Amino acid sequence: MNDEPERIDLSSPEDVLIEVIADESPYERRDWKGFKIDTCTVIGGKDGVTGAASYEQSYGGFLDYVLEDIVDCPKQEGWFVVEGVTAEFYKGDGWATDDNIDFECVGIRPATDEERAMA
């Protein structure tokens, strides 16, 4: 018997405070060439793991890479907020298809002074 849920609800929108820094890495980065996300802090969500961003940060461990995939690079260093991060979970069959999570967001904007203080 499989105790794993057929569906994980990741639809509760969460905002993520990010710090974008210059990246001198020799590795090619498609859309984020010359920049990378240094820190990620989930803000504007509920307590605990309740949405896609907090789930990825707690269990996936690659929230920065996920965000770099779903938003355009601001092409400058600074603090920004990725707004309304959600996701859709798709359960694989355990044989021919894997579980998959498709992330989405509303957009990205500069962080306010109050939001930067949450880092």
Side-chain angles (χ1 to χ4, degrees):
M1 183 166 150
N2 187 351
D3 293 334
E4 201 172 326
E6 290 296 314
R7 178 162 164 59
I8 301 170
D9 185 8
L10 302 174
S11 62
S12 179
E14 295 175 309
D15 295 340
V16 183
L17 176 67
I18 62 171
E19 181 183 15
V20 176
I21 62 171
D23 181 19
E24 301 299 327
S25 171
Y27 301 106
E28 283 294 316
R29 299 170 72 97
R30 315 178 275 156
D31 301 332
W32 282 69
K33 187 174 182 176
F35 297 94
K36 69 177 181 179
I37 295 174
D38 189 48
T39 60
C40 299
T41 304
V42 178
I43 61 174
K46 301 173 186 169
D47 288 338
V49 176
T50 59
S54 57
Y55 182 87
E56 180 63 22
Q57 190 170 43
S58 296
Y59 302 112
F62 298 105
L63 181 57
D64 53 343
Y65 293 122
V66 167
L67 297 176
E68 288 175 2
D69 281 343
I70 64 172
V71 296
D72 292 332
C73 179
K75 303 293 186 202
Q76 64 182 12
E77 292 184 302
W79 291 92
F80 300 88
V81 174
V82 180
E83 297 181 300
V85 177
T86 60
E88 189 75 29
F89 174 79
Y90 301 96
K91 176 91 172 123
D93 65 10
W95 181 257
T97 58
D98 293 329
D99 294 350
N100 191 32
I101 300 176
D102 288 336
F103 290 87
E104 297 179 352
C105 71
V106 173
I108 185 171
R109 63 170 173 78
T112 65
D113 290 338
E114 294 82 20
E115 289 165 333
R116 282 195 297 265
M118 294 181 198

